């Protein structure tokens, strides 16, 4: 591999910090993130801690190995919805390392509406279980939840991917031989009681954790029996009478210690072998990345410059450098892990589509994980390109992405529009992780394009009836569409609805990808098996 030689001079101030309009976006992101992470002064958090309980993130920090990172997923779930009453959708999920082994952690946040589940909470919990299945990772459930948020039961209970799917997934995980450990650290009520009951081993905290299908008020209403929560389903009951729980802990910290001890006895998985090298920093200053990030998505940034600041030693072995140049493909390393990189350098053409499909075949046969760097407006349009078979060649690429036999990871570094989203391993194509930079935009097309298309359709409808739009009406309709697309295409709109796995600081990209790739090695990669390519 050869180092990428940067062709631009990154803007750096006298104190060594890169100057860029991206800093305004970064400040907005940090402020939004701080709002969900730093809630110590809120009354619900204070009451929680007065009971001697740790917060969800404090529990996770004690559970994972010292000096290791926790890859938190969808921290801004439910952001700017429901008056921001459900920060992080009331649950913290992610991948952490416990006794040297990656694990998926799902931690209810009882300081958010008692840890109850809204639509986004369910979706986030299910996504965590999906990651566990894909990567053969043990699951740890830190349970402190009142179950479904009853005012919105219609959006969390009856459908296939609602609350019941959590228990279906637990049964499937168990059948796959994937360990699941529950720590009951608070309320565990109604359907939620099945989370510890369906786990391999369950820990419950004395005088704090409770498990019951129906709580004291329901029992009294149904039978007239008066009973306390502890008498009905406390730690002593479930570890010495019912057998629903297996270990009785004296505190949060003690329960987490027991969980760590359990991990010492778990069987080790067969890991995929990769040629892993010593991690190496990029050759260029880290902060230079900020000055290169595409803020104005109408202007294409040379993606070689971005790659140079993401890969080890800035070394990159480019594949088909002079062919289909609107797509950049090649091999590199990220934190020592070998990767194939597929990155947009403009819209898709037939040549770039064929190049991408060829490169995916190479990575699949060589068993090298693939990283997609998305910044595309989609496929080129026009009579010449349709006649040339752009749909046929684009289909080859989409087929290859869907059938890649190695783990794929997607980072949206700019635009993600139209079928370009699919060709670059968008959510529908099951990347192991899909991460967004704060500047990212995702939509069926750009707002300007959408407004022009929809105004044109409106004009044709009116023309058929002998009418036409006035200039003021045309401008009003166009502005309404532009405003709608500006909101709905933003990274925050996407991450709030869990269309991705989280917005991240671009400087954390290497760390997130490395932990994701490491987690993916817990299941051996499959053998290449591609479908029919239309020739």
């Amino acid at each position: 591999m050869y180092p990428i030689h940067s062709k631009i001079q990154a803007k750096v101030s006298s104190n060594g910090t890169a100057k860029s309009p991206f800093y305004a976006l970064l400040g907005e992101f940090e402020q939004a993130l701080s709002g969900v992470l730093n809630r110590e002064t809120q009354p619900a958090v204070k009451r929680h801690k007065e009971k001697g309980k740790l917060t969800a993130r404090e529990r996770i920090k004690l559970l994972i190995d010292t000096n290791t990172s926790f890859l938190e997923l969808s921290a801004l779930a439910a952001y700017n919805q429901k008056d921001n009453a459900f920060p992080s959708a009331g649950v913290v999920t992610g991948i952490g390392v416990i006794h040297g082994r990656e694990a998926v952690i799902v931690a209810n946040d009882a300081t958010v509406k008692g840890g109850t589940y809204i639509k986004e909470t369910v979706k986030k919990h299910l996504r965590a279980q999906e990651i566990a299945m894909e990567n053969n990772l043990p699951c740890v459930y830190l349970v402190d939840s009142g179950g479904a948020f009853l005012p919105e039961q219609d959006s969390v209970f009856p459908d296939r991917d609602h609350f019941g799917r959590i228990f279906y997934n637990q049964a499937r995980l168990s059948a796959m031989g994937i360990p699941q450990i529950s720590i009951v650290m608070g309320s565990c009520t109604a359907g939620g009681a099945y989370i510890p009951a369906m786990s391999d081993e369950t820990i419950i905290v004395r005088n704090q954790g409770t498990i019951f299908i129906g709580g004291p008020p329901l029992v009294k209403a149904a039978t007239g029996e008066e009973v306390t929560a502890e008498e009905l389903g406390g730690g002593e009951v479930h570890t010495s009478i019912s057998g629903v729980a297996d270990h009785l802990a004296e505190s949060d910290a003690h329960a987490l210690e027991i969980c760590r001890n359990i991990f010492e006895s778990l069987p080790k998985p067969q890991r995929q072998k990769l040629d892993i090298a010593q991690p190496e920093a990029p050759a260029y200053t880290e902060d230079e990345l900020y000055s290169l990030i595409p803020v104005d998505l109408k202007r294409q940034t040379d993606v070689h410059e971005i790659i140079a600041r993401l890969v080890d030693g800035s070394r990159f072995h480019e594949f088909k450098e002079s062919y289909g140049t609107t797509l950049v493909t090649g091999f590199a390393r990220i934190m020592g892990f070998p990767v194939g990189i597929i990155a947009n350098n403009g819209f898709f053409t037939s040549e770039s589509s064929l190049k991408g499909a060829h490169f995916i075949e190479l990575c699949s046969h060589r068993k090298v994980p693939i990283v997609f760097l998305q910044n595309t407006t989609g496929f080129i349009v026009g009579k010449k390109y349709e006649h040339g078979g752009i749909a046929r060649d684009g289909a080859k690429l989409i087929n290859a992405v869907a059938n890649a036999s190695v783990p794929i990871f997607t980072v949206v570094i700019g635009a993600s529009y139209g079928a370009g989203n699919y060709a670059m391993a968008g959510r529908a194509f099951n990347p192991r992780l899909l991460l967004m930079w704060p500047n990212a935009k995702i939509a069926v097309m750009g707002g300007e394009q959408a407004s022009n298309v929809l105004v044109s359709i409106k004009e044709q409808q009116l023309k058929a009836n002998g009418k036409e739009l006035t200039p003021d009406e045309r401008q009003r309709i166009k502005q309404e569409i532009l405003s709608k697309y500006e909101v709905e295409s933003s990274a925050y709109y996407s991450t709030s609805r869990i269309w991705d796995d989280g917005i991240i600081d671009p400087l954390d990209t290497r760390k997130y990808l490395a932990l994701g790739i490491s987690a993916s090695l817990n299941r051996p990669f499959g053998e290449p098996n591609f479908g029919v390519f239309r020739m």
Side-chain angles (χ1 to χ4, degrees), residues 456-475:
S456 177
I457 292 171
K458 183 69 174 177
E459 286 178 325
Q460 289 173 15
Q461 291 171 340
L462 290 173
K463 188 175 182 180
N465 295 315
K467 301 177 182 178
E468 62 180 30
L469 288 174
T470 67
D472 285 347
E473 288 173 331
R474 185 182 295 108
Q475 184 59 34

Side-chain angles (χ1 to χ4, degrees), residues 77-90:
Y79 179 69
N80 277 347
Q81 296 189 68
K82 307 179 195 304
D83 298 320
N84 283 317
F86 288 85
S88 294

Side-chain angles (χ1 to χ4, degrees), residues 447-458:
E448 191 73 36
Q449 294 167 293
S451 63
N452 288 332
V453 168
L454 292 173
V455 166
S456 177
I457 292 171
K458 183 69 174 177

Side-chain angles (χ1 to χ4, degrees), residues 137-157:
L137 300 180
C139 284
V140 179
Y141 306 110
L142 307 183
V143 186
D144 198 346
S145 167
F149 184 62
L150 295 181
E152 298 189 14
Q153 66 86 28
D154 64 325
S155 63
V156 298
F157 176 71

